Amino acid sequence: MDLALQSRTLFGVTLGFHIIYATIGVGMPLLLLIAEVMGIWKKDPHYRLLAKRLAKGYSITVAVGVVTGTIIGLQLSLLFPGFMKIAGQVISLPLFMETFAFFFEAIFLGIYLYTWSRFQNPLFHILVLIPVAIGSGLSAFFITTVNAFMNTPQGFTITDGAITNIEPLKAMFNPATPSKVAHVLTSAYMTTAFVIAAITAWFILRGHRNEYYKKALRMTMTVGLIFALATAVVGDLSGKFLAAYQPEKLAAAEWHFETKTHADLLVGGALDRNTNEVNYAIKLPNMLSFLATDSFSGKVIGLNDIPKENWPPLIIHYWFDMMVGIGSFMIVLSGAFVAIRFWKQKFEWNSWLLRLIVIGGPLSMLAIEFGWIFAELGRQPWILRGYMRVGEAATTSPNVGSMLLLFSVVYALLGILTVYVLIRMARRNPVEPLLDARSEQT
């Protein structure tokens, strides 16, 4: 394994681990805010209790997310110093602002966590939570603009090896920013809702069939459906962005070799690398043209019109299919749950439906992972598209392999510790005694 591949692997492992905590970090404040608002609006203590319990678990994931997020910043500088020579001058503004956004979020999160009984009017407690949601959203926005810049770099010129005419705001608000940021935010809200729904469904299957869990499941599945649909809409816009700015990525994702109109969308299949023929795929007639151009007869550029040295790895077809497939499954599942909720409430607690919801939680997080793998592999061989390849940016240090082993062990331990602490918190603080105490007070 060469040094560039080792660097990519180490950074990929770090990003893959961090994205779990980052997704929850972005999505959880919105769920807390919705639960708090519903608690006041409906005068229902179950929702406020839900917010309080979710906030405790959220504080654990935030702590781990801070550690892994810091590691990502350091590794980006150490593993890809060539890239940072440009990024440090051109795109440092959002990197700097992301730190302030996190501090803004952390300060108000601390106030929120320690003021549950300090305000007689619970509305004031909700007002403290709003900056947490804003801070988490801004943090995601700023860091995503850096990734967007890597896909469509602008706001600078390179003259005789020197970087000139730097425009930080133009670099931030590059063509990839709108679709990238929208996709990150909507998918984070969707995934967090489905993860909490899966945990809730697990408790219901184990016999906890009180109103607290039922309301929690209804709320999270409804939120999940809304943002799953929003993610699908943003995904459609992302397809059109790729067709316009990264046609090689879209073509590789769909094993589309010949530039043509009325292009079919391929699901699954096996590629014969000798003939570039696709076998056993499900073909959706004209749908790739529609995804790329909003017209069933639109022209889609094929890989044969792109220099082969600039092709992304063709395996991204499978990552793309798995991401879209899981997203489609979650739309159907959450839509079915919400429909049953209104049409036939007793079937709402059908054990098979609940089992599918339990499975949907991990699947939705896997979709996030598959999406990031698709995004990063799909940009290859570039680290800064059109300007710098990964091999040119990677470190020449011989110690990357040992660091890969060390950090893999650290992440495994952190993951196990996180799960252990969250499970222990849930077991030591069951919800039923709290519900009994509240009913006695009322």
Side-chain angles (χ1 to χ4, degrees):
M1 187 185 296
D2 61 31
L3 287 174
L5 185 54
Q6 289 181 22
S7 297
R8 284 174 54 196
T9 304
L10 174 53
F11 194 75
V13 169
T14 301
L15 179 62
F17 184 71
H18 171 71
I19 202 65
I20 298 172
Y21 298 91
T23 297
I24 296 173
V26 173
M28 188 63 79
L30 181 66
L31 276 187
L32 293 173
L33 188 59
I34 292 173
E36 288 267 37
V37 169
M38 290 187 68
I40 293 179
W41 178 38
K42 294 191 171 185
K43 297 181 180 179
D44 191 333
H46 289 122
Y47 289 107
R48 293 212 72 211
L49 178 59
L50 173 63
K52 190 171 186 178
R53 290 175 65 81
L54 289 179
K56 289 181 179 180
Y58 175 50
S59 65
I60 303 299
T61 59
V62 165
V64 180
V66 170
V67 174
T68 54
T70 304
I71 292 173
I72 281 183
L74 293 172
Q75 284 188 356
L76 193 59
S77 298
L78 295 174
L79 297 176
F80 303 104
F83 167 72
M84 290 305 293
K85 286 181 181 179
I86 297 178
Q89 299 179 63
V90 182
I91 201 69
S92 57
L93 177 61
L95 289 171
F96 184 68
M97 293 301 295
E98 194 272 340
T99 303
F100 277 93
F102 170 74
F103 282 144
F104 181 74
E105 174 191 357
I107 289 169
F108 282 95
L109 177 60
I111 297 172
Y112 176 76
L113 291 173
Y114 290 101
T115 56
W116 279 96
S117 57
R118 300 293 177 130
F119 300 113
Q120 290 185 350
N121 187 345
L123 182 61
F124 293 130
H125 197 238
I126 293 180
L127 294 178
V128 173
L129 183 57
I130 292 175
V132 179
I134 294 173
S136 65
L138 286 175
S139 182
F141 166 77
F142 287 126
I143 204 65
T144 304
T145 60
V146 178
N147 184 268
F149 171 77
M150 297 166 74
N151 289 275
T152 52
Q154 64 177 30
F156 68 101
T157 22
I158 299 180
T159 308
D160 298 326
I163 302 170
T164 59
N165 300 324
I166 297 173
E167 301 178 67
L169 290 179
K170 187 176 180 181
M172 273 183 64
F173 295 97
N174 59 79
T177 295
S179 59
K180 282 275 185 183
V181 170
H183 200 277
V184 165
L185 291 176
T186 55
S187 61
Y189 298 142
M190 174 197 75
T191 301
T192 305
F194 285 139
V195 167
I196 301 304
I199 296 171
T200 305
W202 171 260
F203 275 101
I204 294 174
L205 283 170
R206 292 177 64 86
H208 300 266
R209 290 180 174 263
N210 53 59
E211 286 300 309
Y212 168 84
Y213 286 108
K214 291 181 179 180
K215 292 173 182 176
L217 187 60
R218 290 166 184 161
M219 185 193 83
T220 51
M221 288 298 286
T222 303
V223 172
L225 173 61
I226 292 170
F227 285 104
L229 292 171
T231 302
V233 173
V234 173
D236 178 71
L237 298 176
S238 298
K240 291 164 181 55
F241 160 79
L242 291 178
Y245 292 94
Q246 291 180 286
E248 73 282 358
K249 186 174 182 178
L250 181 63
E254 283 301 316
W255 289 342
H256 180 69
F257 292 92
E258 299 293 333
T259 298
K260 60 181 180 180
T261 60
H262 301 279
D264 299 337
L265 191 71
L266 304 181
V267 179
L271 178 65
D272 185 334
R273 294 300 300 271
N274 295 320
T275 62
N276 289 337
E277 292 292 328
V278 181
N279 302 310
Y280 315 116
I282 300 172
K283 294 184 179 181
L284 304 179
N286 306 326
M287 288 306 296
L288 181 58
S289 288
F290 184 81
L291 175 65
T293 67
D294 257 346
S295 170
F296 291 111
S297 60
K299 180 185 289 188
V300 183
I301 296 174
L303 286 170
N304 290 341
D305 287 344
I306 298 167
K308 197 163 186 177
E309 63 270 19
N310 293 338
W311 288 13
L314 297 183
I315 196 173
I316 65 172
H317 171 76
Y318 294 114
W319 301 115
F320 179 75
D321 278 359
M322 288 187 287
M323 174 188 67
V324 174
I326 293 173
S328 301
F329 169 75
M330 295 310 299
I331 289 175
V332 172
L333 178 61
S334 56
F337 179 89
V338 172
I340 291 169
R341 164 81 179 93
F342 286 102
W343 292 342
K344 192 176 180 181
Q345 294 190 24
K346 289 184 179 179
F347 192 76
E348 181 184 8
W349 312 116
N350 177 272
S351 60
W352 283 106
L353 182 61
L354 292 171
R355 288 188 181 99
L356 288 175
I357 294 172
V358 171
I359 296 171
L363 281 179
S364 60
M365 188 60 76
L366 279 176
I368 292 285
E369 298 284 2
F370 296 152
W372 274 105
I373 293 172
F374 167 69
E376 297 305 299
L377 282 182
R379 194 181 59 249
Q380 301 301 314
W382 305 101
I383 191 170
L384 193 60
R385 186 179 181 273
Y387 287 89
M388 181 180 290
R389 294 175 181 266
V390 175
E392 299 170 332
T395 181
T396 57
S397 171
N399 300 316
V400 178
S402 57
M403 289 297 98
L404 173 59
L405 178 61
L406 174 63
F407 276 102
S408 296
V409 173
V410 170
Y411 298 146
L413 292 175
L414 272 175
I416 293 171
L417 184 61
T418 302
V419 173
Y420 171 77
V421 171
L422 291 175
I423 291 176
R424 187 174 176 83
M425 285 176 61
R427 287 179 175 174
R428 294 188 66 178
N429 299 280
V431 72
E432 282 78 10
L434 298 174
L435 294 175
D436 292 341
R438 287 175 182 269
S439 62
E440 289 176 3
Q441 292 174 4
T442 57

